[in-house]
mmCIF file of all heavy atoms in Angstrom:
data_model
loop_
_atom_site.group_PDB
_atom_site.id
_atom_site.type_symbol
_atom_site.label_atom_id
_atom_site.label_comp_id
_atom_site.label_asym_id
_atom_site.label_seq_id
_atom_site.Cartn_x
_atom_site.Cartn_y
_atom_site.Cartn_z
ATOM 1 N N THR Z 51 92.908 98.778 -282.699
ATOM 2 C CA THR Z 51 93.425 97.418 -282.627
ATOM 3 C C THR Z 51 92.968 96.784 -281.319
ATOM 4 O O THR Z 51 92.660 97.491 -280.361
ATOM 5 C CB THR Z 51 94.959 97.410 -282.691
ATOM 6 O OG1 THR Z 51 95.416 96.094 -282.405
ATOM 7 C CG2 THR Z 51 95.559 98.347 -281.656
ATOM 8 N N THR Z 52 92.919 95.464 -281.278
ATOM 9 C CA THR Z 52 92.599 94.783 -280.016
ATOM 10 C C THR Z 52 93.826 94.094 -279.450
ATOM 11 O O THR Z 52 93.731 93.311 -278.522
ATOM 12 C CB THR Z 52 91.480 93.743 -280.221
ATOM 13 O OG1 THR Z 52 91.859 92.902 -281.308
ATOM 14 C CG2 THR Z 52 90.144 94.387 -280.506
ATOM 15 N N GLN Z 53 95.007 94.444 -280.020
ATOM 16 C CA GLN Z 53 96.218 93.738 -279.595
ATOM 17 C C GLN Z 53 96.553 93.975 -278.123
ATOM 18 O O GLN Z 53 97.171 93.136 -277.483
ATOM 19 C CB GLN Z 53 97.406 94.165 -280.468
ATOM 20 C CG GLN Z 53 97.693 95.644 -280.360
ATOM 21 C CD GLN Z 53 99.143 95.981 -280.705
ATOM 22 O OE1 GLN Z 53 100.046 95.244 -280.410
ATOM 23 N NE2 GLN Z 53 99.331 97.120 -281.370
ATOM 24 N N TRP Z 54 96.122 95.124 -277.553
ATOM 25 C CA TRP Z 54 96.525 95.470 -276.174
ATOM 26 C C TRP Z 54 95.914 94.521 -275.160
ATOM 27 O O TRP Z 54 96.439 94.358 -274.065
ATOM 28 C CB TRP Z 54 96.175 96.917 -275.849
ATOM 29 C CG TRP Z 54 96.857 97.879 -276.774
ATOM 30 C CD1 TRP Z 54 96.271 98.753 -277.635
ATOM 31 C CD2 TRP Z 54 98.256 98.020 -276.938
ATOM 32 N NE1 TRP Z 54 97.210 99.443 -278.358
ATOM 33 C CE2 TRP Z 54 98.442 99.009 -277.944
ATOM 34 C CE3 TRP Z 54 99.390 97.412 -276.390
ATOM 35 C CZ2 TRP Z 54 99.699 99.406 -278.368
ATOM 36 C CZ3 TRP Z 54 100.639 97.810 -276.804
ATOM 37 C CH2 TRP Z 54 100.788 98.797 -277.801
ATOM 38 N N PHE Z 55 94.804 93.908 -275.525
ATOM 39 C CA PHE Z 55 94.196 92.949 -274.584
ATOM 40 C C PHE Z 55 95.130 91.756 -274.397
ATOM 41 O O PHE Z 55 95.361 91.303 -273.281
ATOM 42 C CB PHE Z 55 92.833 92.493 -275.099
ATOM 43 C CG PHE Z 55 91.770 93.545 -274.913
ATOM 44 C CD1 PHE Z 55 91.599 94.551 -275.844
ATOM 45 C CD2 PHE Z 55 90.962 93.521 -273.779
ATOM 46 C CE1 PHE Z 55 90.647 95.534 -275.659
ATOM 47 C CE2 PHE Z 55 90.009 94.500 -273.602
ATOM 48 C CZ PHE Z 55 89.844 95.507 -274.534
ATOM 49 N N ALA Z 56 95.695 91.287 -275.507
ATOM 50 C CA ALA Z 56 96.621 90.154 -275.438
ATOM 51 C C ALA Z 56 97.888 90.558 -274.694
ATOM 52 O O ALA Z 56 98.397 89.807 -273.851
ATOM 53 C CB ALA Z 56 96.955 89.676 -276.852
ATOM 54 N N VAL Z 57 98.378 91.776 -274.982
ATOM 55 C CA VAL Z 57 99.598 92.258 -274.317
ATOM 56 C C VAL Z 57 99.376 92.330 -272.805
ATOM 57 O O VAL Z 57 100.193 91.876 -272.009
ATOM 58 C CB VAL Z 57 100.001 93.638 -274.874
ATOM 59 C CG1 VAL Z 57 101.160 94.216 -274.074
ATOM 60 C CG2 VAL Z 57 100.362 93.526 -276.341
ATOM 61 N N THR Z 58 98.219 92.893 -272.432
ATOM 62 C CA THR Z 58 97.914 93.044 -271.008
ATOM 63 C C THR Z 58 97.869 91.680 -270.330
ATOM 64 O O THR Z 58 98.402 91.488 -269.243
ATOM 65 C CB THR Z 58 96.556 93.745 -270.830
ATOM 66 O OG1 THR Z 58 96.548 94.922 -271.618
ATOM 67 C CG2 THR Z 58 96.293 94.084 -269.377
ATOM 68 N N TRP Z 59 97.205 90.754 -271.009
ATOM 69 C CA TRP Z 59 97.068 89.390 -270.456
ATOM 70 C C TRP Z 59 98.439 88.793 -270.143
ATOM 71 O O TRP Z 59 98.617 88.093 -269.160
ATOM 72 C CB TRP Z 59 96.304 88.517 -271.458
ATOM 73 C CG TRP Z 59 95.953 87.179 -270.933
ATOM 74 C CD1 TRP Z 59 96.689 86.037 -271.050
ATOM 75 C CD2 TRP Z 59 94.796 86.830 -270.201
ATOM 76 N NE1 TRP Z 59 96.056 85.010 -270.426
ATOM 77 C CE2 TRP Z 59 94.872 85.465 -269.896
ATOM 78 C CE3 TRP Z 59 93.666 87.557 -269.770
ATOM 79 C CZ2 TRP Z 59 93.898 84.781 -269.173
ATOM 80 C CZ3 TRP Z 59 92.695 86.891 -269.065
ATOM 81 C CH2 TRP Z 59 92.802 85.519 -268.766
ATOM 82 N N GLY Z 60 99.412 89.136 -270.972
ATOM 83 C CA GLY Z 60 100.735 88.546 -270.836
ATOM 84 C C GLY Z 60 101.644 89.245 -269.839
ATOM 85 O O GLY Z 60 102.753 88.765 -269.578
ATOM 86 N N ARG Z 61 101.215 90.383 -269.308
ATOM 87 C CA ARG Z 61 102.113 91.139 -268.419
ATOM 88 C C ARG Z 61 101.990 90.659 -266.974
ATOM 89 O O ARG Z 61 100.933 90.770 -266.350
ATOM 90 C CB ARG Z 61 101.773 92.634 -268.492
ATOM 91 C CG ARG Z 61 102.100 93.287 -269.824
ATOM 92 C CD ARG Z 61 103.308 94.209 -269.755
ATOM 93 N NE ARG Z 61 103.241 95.181 -268.697
ATOM 94 C CZ ARG Z 61 103.149 96.497 -268.914
ATOM 95 N NH1 ARG Z 61 103.020 96.971 -270.132
ATOM 96 N NH2 ARG Z 61 103.162 97.318 -267.902
ATOM 97 N N ALA Z 62 103.099 90.194 -266.412
ATOM 98 C CA ALA Z 62 103.079 89.655 -265.045
ATOM 99 C C ALA Z 62 102.811 90.746 -264.019
ATOM 100 O O ALA Z 62 102.145 90.509 -263.007
ATOM 101 C CB ALA Z 62 104.410 88.972 -264.739
ATOM 102 N N ASP Z 63 103.324 91.977 -264.243
ATOM 103 C CA ASP Z 63 103.149 93.049 -263.242
ATOM 104 C C ASP Z 63 101.681 93.415 -263.056
ATOM 105 O O ASP Z 63 101.255 93.747 -261.962
ATOM 106 C CB ASP Z 63 103.989 94.283 -263.615
ATOM 107 C CG ASP Z 63 103.674 94.793 -265.014
ATOM 108 O OD1 ASP Z 63 103.164 93.998 -265.829
ATOM 109 O OD2 ASP Z 63 103.952 95.979 -265.295
ATOM 110 N N VAL Z 64 100.888 93.310 -264.165
ATOM 111 C CA VAL Z 64 99.461 93.583 -264.048
ATOM 112 C C VAL Z 64 98.809 92.578 -263.113
ATOM 113 O O VAL Z 64 98.063 92.935 -262.192
ATOM 114 C CB VAL Z 64 98.767 93.525 -265.428
ATOM 115 C CG1 VAL Z 64 97.258 93.639 -265.269
ATOM 116 C CG2 VAL Z 64 99.303 94.598 -266.339
ATOM 117 N N TRP Z 65 99.124 91.310 -263.351
ATOM 118 C CA TRP Z 65 98.510 90.254 -262.525
ATOM 119 C C TRP Z 65 98.908 90.375 -261.066
ATOM 120 O O TRP Z 65 98.102 90.168 -260.183
ATOM 121 C CB TRP Z 65 98.896 88.877 -263.066
ATOM 122 C CG TRP Z 65 98.215 88.594 -264.369
ATOM 123 C CD1 TRP Z 65 98.790 88.556 -265.597
ATOM 124 C CD2 TRP Z 65 96.825 88.357 -264.544
ATOM 125 N NE1 TRP Z 65 97.854 88.303 -266.559
ATOM 126 C CE2 TRP Z 65 96.634 88.178 -265.948
ATOM 127 C CE3 TRP Z 65 95.727 88.296 -263.694
ATOM 128 C CZ2 TRP Z 65 95.380 87.920 -266.490
ATOM 129 C CZ3 TRP Z 65 94.485 88.034 -264.237
ATOM 130 C CH2 TRP Z 65 94.313 87.847 -265.622
ATOM 131 N N GLN Z 66 100.162 90.756 -260.841
ATOM 132 C CA GLN Z 66 100.645 90.895 -259.475
ATOM 133 C C GLN Z 66 99.889 92.009 -258.742
ATOM 134 O O GLN Z 66 99.418 91.835 -257.620
ATOM 135 C CB GLN Z 66 102.143 91.224 -259.510
ATOM 136 C CG GLN Z 66 102.883 90.572 -258.384
ATOM 137 C CD GLN Z 66 104.375 90.782 -258.546
ATOM 138 O OE1 GLN Z 66 104.831 91.473 -259.479
ATOM 139 N NE2 GLN Z 66 105.130 90.194 -257.653
ATOM 140 N N ALA Z 67 99.795 93.180 -259.429
ATOM 141 C CA ALA Z 67 99.112 94.324 -258.821
ATOM 142 C C ALA Z 67 97.638 93.998 -258.580
ATOM 143 O O ALA Z 67 97.083 94.290 -257.508
ATOM 144 C CB ALA Z 67 99.233 95.541 -259.718
ATOM 145 N N LEU Z 68 97.022 93.372 -259.560
ATOM 146 C CA LEU Z 68 95.605 93.029 -259.434
ATOM 147 C C LEU Z 68 95.397 92.064 -258.263
ATOM 148 O O LEU Z 68 94.499 92.249 -257.434
ATOM 149 C CB LEU Z 68 95.115 92.401 -260.743
ATOM 150 C CG LEU Z 68 93.616 92.095 -260.806
ATOM 151 C CD1 LEU Z 68 92.822 93.386 -260.818
ATOM 152 C CD2 LEU Z 68 93.291 91.266 -262.047
ATOM 153 N N GLY Z 69 96.265 91.057 -258.190
ATOM 154 C CA GLY Z 69 96.157 90.064 -257.109
ATOM 155 C C GLY Z 69 96.288 90.725 -255.752
ATOM 156 O O GLY Z 69 95.502 90.456 -254.834
ATOM 157 N N LEU Z 70 97.262 91.625 -255.626
ATOM 158 C CA LEU Z 70 97.475 92.301 -254.344
ATOM 159 C C LEU Z 70 96.245 93.118 -253.964
ATOM 160 O O LEU Z 70 95.762 93.072 -252.825
ATOM 161 C CB LEU Z 70 98.717 93.199 -254.416
ATOM 162 C CG LEU Z 70 99.038 93.930 -253.110
ATOM 163 C CD1 LEU Z 70 99.473 92.933 -252.047
ATOM 164 C CD2 LEU Z 70 100.128 94.974 -253.331
ATOM 165 N N SER Z 71 95.719 93.873 -254.948
ATOM 166 C CA SER Z 71 94.562 94.721 -254.672
ATOM 167 C C SER Z 71 93.368 93.897 -254.210
ATOM 168 O O SER Z 71 92.661 94.267 -253.274
ATOM 169 C CB SER Z 71 94.179 95.529 -255.907
ATOM 170 O OG SER Z 71 94.901 96.726 -255.930
ATOM 171 N N VAL Z 72 93.141 92.772 -254.892
ATOM 172 C CA VAL Z 72 91.997 91.935 -254.525
ATOM 173 C C VAL Z 72 92.182 91.384 -253.114
ATOM 174 O O VAL Z 72 91.254 91.401 -252.295
ATOM 175 C CB VAL Z 72 91.812 90.786 -255.546
ATOM 176 C CG1 VAL Z 72 90.826 89.754 -255.028
ATOM 177 C CG2 VAL Z 72 91.338 91.343 -256.879
ATOM 178 N N GLN Z 73 93.400 90.939 -252.808
ATOM 179 C CA GLN Z 73 93.648 90.395 -251.466
ATOM 180 C C GLN Z 73 93.454 91.454 -250.389
ATOM 181 O O GLN Z 73 92.798 91.221 -249.369
ATOM 182 C CB GLN Z 73 95.068 89.862 -251.378
ATOM 183 C CG GLN Z 73 95.235 88.489 -251.999
ATOM 184 C CD GLN Z 73 96.693 88.043 -251.926
ATOM 185 O OE1 GLN Z 73 97.313 88.164 -250.892
ATOM 186 N NE2 GLN Z 73 97.215 87.579 -253.029
ATOM 187 N N VAL Z 74 94.046 92.640 -250.625
ATOM 188 C CA VAL Z 74 93.930 93.721 -249.631
ATOM 189 C C VAL Z 74 92.460 94.074 -249.421
ATOM 190 O O VAL Z 74 91.977 94.166 -248.294
ATOM 191 C CB VAL Z 74 94.724 94.972 -250.091
ATOM 192 C CG1 VAL Z 74 94.343 96.175 -249.252
ATOM 193 C CG2 VAL Z 74 96.207 94.710 -249.994
ATOM 194 N N ALA Z 75 91.737 94.236 -250.541
ATOM 195 C CA ALA Z 75 90.334 94.628 -250.437
ATOM 196 C C ALA Z 75 89.533 93.559 -249.714
ATOM 197 O O ALA Z 75 88.694 93.864 -248.861
ATOM 198 C CB ALA Z 75 89.761 94.880 -251.829
#
Side-chain angles (χ1 to χ4, degrees):
Chain Z
T51 171
T52 52
Q53 61 156 324
W54 300 118
F55 284 85
V57 173
T58 309
W59 188 268
R61 292 253 309 246
D63 56 338
V64 173
W65 289 108
Q66 216 173 3
L68 185 68
L70 181 68
S71 272
V72 168
Q73 280 178 46
V74 167

